[in-house]
Amino acid sequence: MDTTVATTFRRVFQVIDGNKKAVGDGFQVTSPMPGPRIRQLSPFLLIDHIGPMPVAPSEKPLGSPPHPHRGFETVTIMYQGVLAHRDTAGHTGNIGPGDVQWMTAGAGLMHEELYEKEFTRQGGTLEVVQLWVNMPQKDKMTPPNYQDIRSSAISTLPTPDGQGTIRVIAGTYEGVSGPATTFSPMTMLDVHLPKGAELPLNLPADYNVGLYVVKGNVLLHGNRPAATKQLVVLGWDSETAHLTATEDSIVLVLAGEPIEEPLATYGPFVMNTNKELVQAIADFEAGAMGQFEDDE
């Protein structure tokens, strides 16, 4: 890193290791958030990193069976394997490597995420990062929506040194806009850096910023390491951060204007008050979030 010009970088608040857990009937997951720094990462609420894990050939797709959501969005970024999605708002789709699925739960729905049938039969490696993104109170009861974002629709720009690439999923970065539509201002980048590549990141100073290392090892500001499946929480004291890849690396940049509203959560529901949570549970139990015909 060139140190001839003094630069003030964003403070590194914390580097967080993920907790391992099992989700559904076939997902091995590492989750570095929610955690103690969740306010410093709003509007992002959760990171689930599935795999990389082997999937043995089978005739029965595994994954995450039908479950409800209300009040937020799920963003599924595929790295390896193929998943099949369906929900009670009528959306279906398969997503493979490089694709992104952006589902708005809004007022509420049920959805299911299973290994895609042909991927199940052949087997292979599965790796997925799923995010939960909060919605402002005024938008929480919006009708559900589904953005099926193909890899070919995601614009890519080179890093300034020409060695790496930046895929712009949401927001605008260096004049390049991502295809995702969002309810609050944010920038989401999928950064691929070969060993030795450097990336000066410039993001609005009032944005919360998290860097999730999908794989590899990076140095922050030339001296603070972060490794595979670690989450870096940055401060607001600058617009600039600097990454150096000490091996081939993939980093998700999660930056957004914080949603400064009360947060009330219970399992798959993210609202603003406990009263709204009670209503969400009642609506789900009454079937208001839909039901799949084969579950009736």
Side-chain angles (χ1 to χ4, degrees):
M1 181 174 60
D2 183 5
T3 58
T4 57
V5 177
T7 303
T8 300
F9 295 121
R10 286 178 179 262
R11 174 187 172 193
V12 177
F13 273 142
Q14 192 172 1
V15 178
I16 301 172
D17 292 312
N19 297 314
K20 292 180 172 57
K21 62 184 182 181
V23 174
D25 57 13
F27 291 145
Q28 300 166 8
V29 178
T30 302
S31 294
M33 70 176 299
R37 292 287 184 178
I38 193 167
R39 284 187 57 83
Q40 283 83 16
L41 289 170
S42 172
F44 305 99
L45 300 168
L46 174 144
I47 299 172
D48 274 354
H49 187 170
I50 301 165
M53 54 177 281
V55 175
S58 172
E59 291 300 316
K60 180 185 178 184
L62 300 177
S64 185
H67 56 282
H69 289 307
R70 171 179 280 180
F72 66 101
E73 301 183 285
T74 64
V75 180
T76 306
I77 303 166
M78 294 296 300
Y79 289 99
Q80 300 183 75
V82 186
L83 287 181
H85 165 94
R86 65 171 180 158
D87 63 46
T88 52
H91 308 118
T92 61
N94 298 332
I95 53 172
D99 297 338
V100 175
Q101 171 193 286
W102 198 296
M103 187 191 79
T104 304
L109 47 57
M110 298 273 288
H111 81 139
E112 172 187 83
E113 295 165 303
L114 302 178
Y115 307 158
E116 185 268 338
K117 289 182 179 179
E118 189 57 32
F119 176 70
T120 300
R121 294 190 187 102
Q122 294 182 0
T125 301
L126 182 73
E127 184 172 18
V128 187
V129 174
Q130 185 172 92
L131 312 169
W132 286 13
V133 180
N134 197 15
M135 299 171 69
Q137 185 174 31
K138 65 181 179 61
D139 298 313
K140 282 189 177 292
M141 296 300 287
T142 195
N145 189 36
Y146 180 79
Q147 300 178 66
D148 185 3
I149 302 171
R150 298 287 124 184
S151 179
S152 58
I154 300 173
S155 295
T156 300
L157 66 152
T159 55
D161 63 7
Q163 296 188 59
T165 57
I166 304 168
R167 298 201 315 149
V168 185
I169 297 171
T172 299
Y173 188 75
E174 300 296 337
V176 175
S177 295
T181 300
T182 67
F183 283 90
S184 62
M186 69 183 68
T187 300
M188 187 180 297
L189 310 175
D190 181 30
V191 177
H192 295 242
L193 300 173
K195 182 178 179 179
E198 298 188 17
L199 175 62
L201 269 174
N202 297 294
L203 297 159
D206 59 346
Y207 273 21
N208 287 338
V209 178
L211 308 175
Y212 180 68
V213 184
V214 178
K215 78 166 191 175
N217 283 278
V218 297
L219 275 182
L220 302 156
H221 312 158
N223 57 20
R224 185 74 178 268
T228 301
K229 298 188 177 181
Q230 289 188 319
L231 171 65
V232 181
V233 184
L234 297 180
W236 315 278
D237 45 352
S238 171
E239 294 183 349
T240 306
H242 193 283
L243 301 180
T244 304
T246 55
E247 62 182 65
D248 292 356
S249 300
I250 299 174
V251 179
L252 270 178
V253 178
L254 307 175
E257 184 178 285
I259 298 175
E260 299 288 2
E261 297 175 352
L263 193 63
T265 66
Y266 181 79
F269 307 124
V270 178
M271 305 303 292
N272 295 96
T273 67
N274 287 345
K275 183 178 180 180
E276 291 169 342
L277 285 180
V278 170
Q279 186 63 55
I281 296 167
D283 289 347
F284 165 62
E285 292 177 343
M289 297 184 189
Q291 189 173 34
F292 293 114
E293 290 183 3
D294 52 4
D295 293 333
E296 293 178 351

